[in-house]
Amino acid sequence: MAEIRVAHLRKAFGAFVAVQDSSFTVADGEFLALLGPSGCGKTTTLRMIAGLELPTGGTIRLGGEDVTYKRASERDIAFVFQLFALYPHMNVRRNIGFPLLAQGVPRAEIRKRVEETARLLQIDHILDRPVSGLAGGDRQRVALGRAIVRRPMCFLMDEPLGTLDAEFREVMVRELRELHNRIRATTVYVTHDQIEAMAMADKIAVMNHGIIEQFGTPQEIYDRPASMYVADFIGSPPMNFIRFTAGLPKGARAARIGAAEVEMPEIRADVAPGELALGVRPEHVRFAEASPLRGAIYGSEYLGTNQIVTVETEGGLVRARLPADHSYAIGEPVGLTFKSERLSLFEARSGRAIPSALHEGALDREVRHG
Amino acid sequence: MSPAKSTSATARSVTTAHSVVEPSSRSKRIAATLVIVYAVVTMIPLVWIFLTSIKSPPDSISYPPKILFTPSIEGYCNLFTTRTRQTPEYIASLPEPEGVCDAVTRERNMVIAGPSNFLPRFANSLIIAFGSTFLAVGLGTLAAYGFSRFKVPLADDLLFFILSTRMMPPIAVAIPIYLMYRQLGLSDTALGMMLLYTAVNVSLAVWLLKGFIDEIPREYEEAAMIDGYSRLQAFRKVVLPQATTGIAATAIFCLIFAWNEYAFASLLTSGSAQTAPPFIPTIIGEGGQDWPAVAAGTTIFLVPILVFTILLRKQLLRGITFGAVRK
Ligand SMILES: Nc1ncnc2c1ncn2[C@@H]1O[C@H](COP(=O)(O)OP(=O)(O)O)[C@@H](O)[C@H]1O
Ligand SMILES: [Mg+2]
């Protein structure tokens, strides 16, 4: 097992830049999720780490060794493809044993290791079946088997659950994480699904248009988004943005939004007058009759244990996650308050977060709501 | 097979009279009739050739043509031998005939002088056709793989250029090739014919195989390369097994062309490298209108293609298993 260190990685296809200046490190045994919408360069990044694509610039180190321009076969990595890529002309046993055959492992040893792997993944009963008749989940397990049988330095997975149906995906998310807990292989897992990433990863890198917008633990990414893009991409429903115009001095602890004075974590930099956006997670919104921040009920979604209530305010629509025990009439006027120590402040034009006490780890790692 | 069955079963249970999914039994019957009629029409000449090959020479030219006749092996005897005419007295003085052909020949007042050129010509055909098919399919597979997987500069122009070798009729290029081959000492050599047929077939092979290889997802090779194989090993162990259907189909097309080719063969070969197609018609000149011998040569000539096609039938019909990649 080994650490993956990617520095200033860049990939251009002609004039189009698919990955620009990516740098991140996956520590030994860590599970990194590369998260972003379709087309943002996740697969390209992964393929460069695997050696299937040559970078235009930057370096890739696996376990300290510079492998930037090495062939895929010389890198000691395993790759699980989006489409599984099981060899259709071989049965399950031969598919799993195929990488060992390349290394010249003796037949008896191959047999033993294939069977061990199959037991680990609970597919020992289908070892002698052809792969073409297998169900999606079993194919996925065979693909995983082929990856882990070699005990490579690291695993790269490109949306391995993308083609499974939602119900089964949840099962596989748990299985994959359990597998990781057992074998502790350094893993880079590509997905566009924030729930998968949050559920499985030790670290998440959020990508957008070839740029890594934020790199951190799931909690950091959720609680302290580095940009409005990240805040909007993570969480369901996403973070509310209340737009207002103001300038704030360093050390400010509140801002004036309309008629209301809204408290927030202490600002750590002077903010020139301009358009700002206050970021509020729906679970940090509460209704309070007396609050000067007013709005009217716009709609609600019942989710069983709680409900998402949408309120129309001067600063735009605000969604609140509230207990489901009270129902609201559309148009009903309400006052809003926010959990002040959890608020983010962004510069609306650049989308970047304004540094505040929130970013100083003052926050303890609480369990997320929702 | 089984999906088709289950579809028809469901279709029938939903609508008994007319089904949108399945053709009606009436249109099926019409289709079957058309197929049978077509098969019969195309088979008649072949059957007639075979029947002629087992007629005696007088039966073969009788008018009206005989449908019922006593089978004779004379055509095959004449195909494989050369004969000389002798006086009945001389023939009577010979010892007992050895074998059937000897006897049949003597009845016509002739004796066998030696083997004919049919076997060596047939062997030429086998060597040249199978050799060129092997080369064309081998080169074609590699070229098609290259065109399919790598960024080849001017790939489209090159592919068009490759195909353009087939745009001219053979007779238009035969004279320059004839002159070229004379210079190079390739006239009337098996190697020359093999190269020529390879050159003609490789264009077909590249185009056909590129289509088949394009269909094989790259992820297979990439997976194999990550698994520790070189590109060449990945090609051999992962691409080739999946391209067998395409390779078999291409091989049959190439073989049929090389086997049946007449124009180049008759212009460029005359002696030792002559193939069967230009040779068979020459049989007719040797001692009268020997139609049974010509028919016998044609019948034997059909066998290798038939056998080859039957051997590859499984590969041709198997279809490509994409099951493991597609959902
Ligand atoms: N071989 C290629 N040639 C040209 N453009 C490519 C190639 N591969 C990927 N791209 C482009 O790069 C961008 C990022 O692709 P990709 O890494 O596959 O995105 P993701 O996996 O995040 O969906 C896409 O816009 C895609 O069209
Ligand atoms: Mg992708």
Side-chain angles (χ1 to χ4, degrees):
Chain A
M1 299 303 155
E3 149 194 288
I4 303 171
R5 191 179 284 269
V6 168
H8 305 293
L9 195 63
R10 180 183 159 84
K11 178 70 190 184
F13 294 108
F16 177 77
V17 181
V19 175
Q20 9 189 325
D21 202 36
S22 277
S23 299
F24 57 85
T25 301
V26 195
D28 188 11
E30 209 169 52
F31 192 119
L32 169 75
L34 213 50
L35 175 66
S38 177
C40 71
K42 308 180 295 290
T43 298
T44 308
T45 305
L46 204 66
R47 287 171 60 87
M48 286 192 285
I49 300 175
L52 296 173
E53 206 90 66
L54 280 185
T56 314
T59 55
I60 300 162
R61 289 172 173 279
L62 294 183
E65 185 195 3
D66 186 343
V67 297
T68 315
Y69 297 104
K70 280 206 163 172
R71 288 163 191 270
S73 54
E74 296 167 349
R75 290 195 186 191
D76 196 21
I77 38 125
F79 198 111
V80 178
F81 288 84
Q82 199 162 8
L83 298 166
F84 313 160
L86 301 180
Y87 310 118
H89 57 294
M90 302 180 190
N91 65 13
V92 171
R93 184 186 296 278
R94 290 192 53 213
N95 257 285
I96 299 180
F98 196 63
L100 297 179
L101 212 60
Q103 300 177 336
V105 177
R107 298 217 165 253
E109 169 80 8
I110 292 183
R111 206 179 162 80
K112 203 182 106 220
R113 275 169 66 182
V114 167
E115 274 161 17
E116 256 171 42
T117 307
R119 262 197 306 278
L120 185 68
L121 295 164
Q122 290 159 19
I123 47 172
D124 32 353
H125 58 290
I126 54 164
L127 269 180
D128 294 303
R129 291 228 208 123
V131 291
S132 50
L134 298 182
D138 284 340
R139 274 187 218 163
Q140 187 53 65
R141 292 192 184 95
V142 176
L144 280 173
R146 204 174 62 195
I148 62 181
V149 76
R150 246 175 60 205
R151 303 170 193 151
M153 287 215 284
C154 55
F155 289 122
L156 309 177
M157 304 190 196
D158 190 3
E159 310 212 18
L161 309 183
T163 55
L164 302 182
D165 45 36
E167 188 188 348
F168 195 68
R169 202 146 59 200
E170 274 178 42
V171 177
M172 282 309 291
V173 163
R174 266 200 308 279
E175 268 186 37
L176 271 176
R177 182 63 220 197
E178 274 167 25
L179 187 69
H180 179 78
N181 290 345
R182 247 177 301 165
I183 60 182
R184 285 283 160 200
T186 314
T187 302
V188 181
Y189 181 98
V190 161
T191 179
H192 64 263
D193 186 319
Q194 46 139 340
I195 298 172
E196 267 178 35
M198 295 295 242
M200 276 191 278
D202 299 317
K203 295 274 175 62
I204 295 179
V206 183
M207 278 190 86
N208 183 29
H209 293 305
I211 295 170
I212 294 187
E213 293 256 341
Q214 190 171 0
F215 182 92
T217 64
Q219 286 81 1
E220 278 165 354
I221 296 220
Y222 188 83
D223 292 334
R224 288 175 265 168
S227 67
M228 288 172 77
Y229 176 81
V230 174
D232 188 51
F233 193 77
I234 307 278
S236 161
M239 187 178 261
N240 296 300
F241 297 119
I242 297 160
R243 287 164 194 275
F244 63 102
T245 309
L248 295 171
K250 184 173 167 181
R253 305 189 61 125
R256 183 147 214 75
I257 302 177
E261 187 77 9
V262 179
E263 279 182 39
M264 58 183 71
E266 192 178 321
I267 304 298
R268 297 290 194 227
D270 286 322
V271 180
E275 209 189 323
L276 302 178
L278 185 70
V280 195
R281 290 277 175 208
E283 57 272 27
H284 300 146
V285 181
R286 286 289 172 270
F287 289 174
E289 267 325 303
S291 172
L293 198 66
R294 305 303 299 179
I297 302 290
Y298 184 82
S300 71
E301 261 175 84
Y302 178 71
L303 298 177
T305 52
N306 52 35
Q307 60 182 334
I308 305 295
V309 181
T310 309
V311 181
E312 193 168 17
T313 71
E314 266 176 63
L317 293 180
V318 172
R319 290 203 184 82
R321 187 185 290 276
L322 299 173
D325 52 11
H326 184 89
S327 55
Y328 298 89
I330 290 181
E332 190 182 329
V334 288
L336 301 176
T337 62
F338 307 132
K339 199 169 180 185
S340 55
E341 72 275 17
R342 305 297 297 269
L343 301 184
S344 294
L345 191 63
F346 301 95
E347 201 180 56
R349 223 158 44 89
S350 67
R352 303 307 306 175
I354 292 165
S356 71
L358 180 75
H359 297 100
E360 276 151 23
L363 215 74
D364 10 331
R365 303 237 163 115
E366 308 171 41
V367 182
R368 276 187 293 112
H369 323 258
Chain B
M1 279 261 175
S2 58
K5 262 183 207 154
S6 62
T7 323
S8 71
T10 6
R12 244 168 243 147
S13 66
V14 174
T15 52
T16 23
H18 292 285
S19 159
V20 195
V21 196
E22 281 271 288
S24 72
S25 63
R26 206 178 75 121
S27 53
K28 262 196 208 160
R29 234 175 291 144
I30 294 174
T33 313
L34 284 175
V35 168
I36 290 168
V37 167
Y38 177 75
V40 167
V41 167
T42 51
M43 289 297 285
I44 283 176
L46 296 178
V47 171
W48 193 252
I49 286 169
F50 174 70
L51 290 178
T52 305
S53 78
I54 55 170
K55 282 177 180 173
S56 64
D59 280 351
S60 74
I61 50 171
S62 75
Y63 192 84
K66 284 193 176 173
I67 304 287
L68 294 172
F69 56 89
T70 330
S72 152
I73 198 161
E74 204 176 335
Y76 290 88
C77 291
N78 292 352
L79 175 67
F80 285 104
T81 59
T82 56
R83 301 154 306 277
T84 52
R85 189 163 292 281
Q86 296 294 348
T87 58
E89 296 76 32
Y90 172 75
I91 288 170
S93 71
L94 291 174
E96 280 294 290
E98 303 162 25
V100 203
C101 279
D102 221 1
V104 169
T105 312
R106 284 180 198 185
E107 274 169 34
R108 302 255 177 250
N109 284 340
M110 291 197 276
V111 292
I112 291 171
S116 75
N117 273 336
F118 181 73
L119 269 186
R121 300 301 188 248
F122 190 77
N124 281 342
S125 264
L126 285 177
I127 293 168
I128 291 169
F130 279 93
S132 70
T133 299
F134 181 78
L135 282 175
V137 172
L139 294 172
T141 309
L142 291 174
Y145 180 74
F147 277 117
S148 172
R149 293 299 196 255
F150 299 106
K151 266 202 203 111
V152 179
L154 300 176
D156 293 348
D157 301 281
L158 280 175
L159 280 169
F160 177 79
F161 185 61
I162 288 172
L163 191 67
S164 70
T165 56
R166 280 185 90 93
M167 289 177 186
M168 271 181 287
I171 212 74
V173 287
I175 308 261
I177 288 177
Y178 178 75
L179 295 173
M180 235 158 60
Y181 267 34
R182 233 183 24 192
Q183 286 289 316
L184 295 170
L186 287 172
S187 296
D188 202 18
T189 61
L191 179 66
M193 295 312 289
M194 227 187 287
L195 288 179
L196 183 62
Y197 291 167
T198 304
V200 176
N201 269 339
V202 97
S203 60
L204 176 81
V206 170
W207 274 77
L208 279 178
L209 285 166
K210 182 174 178 293
F212 280 104
I213 293 177
D214 282 344
E215 290 285 307
I216 303 172
R218 284 160 187 268
E219 275 88 354
Y220 289 137
E221 291 140 79
E222 290 178 342
M225 287 193 277
I226 283 173
D227 285 349
Y229 293 90
S230 69
R231 183 173 277 280
L232 200 67
Q233 286 172 319
F235 172 74
R236 230 182 51 226
K237 297 190 180 208
V238 176
V239 180
L240 278 190
Q242 289 184 69
T244 43
T245 309
I247 291 173
T250 309
I252 285 177
F253 279 118
C254 290
L255 184 74
I256 289 175
F257 168 82
W259 188 251
N260 291 340
E261 208 284 327
Y262 179 81
F264 283 127
S266 67
L267 278 162
L268 297 175
T269 65
S270 49
S272 61
Q274 194 181 43
T275 54
F279 173 77
I280 291 171
T282 65
I283 303 168
I284 210 168
E286 296 171 12
Q289 307 251 304
D290 198 350
W291 291 114
V294 173
T298 310
T299 305
I300 293 176
F301 184 70
L302 290 172
V303 171
I305 294 280
L306 203 67
V307 170
F308 192 67
T309 312
I310 289 171
L311 284 182
L312 291 188
R313 197 180 44 177
K314 222 178 86 196
Q315 268 72 39
L316 280 176
L317 295 181
R318 196 185 55 184
I320 304 164
T321 346
F322 282 119
V325 152
R326 298 218 176 122
K327 235 305 228 185

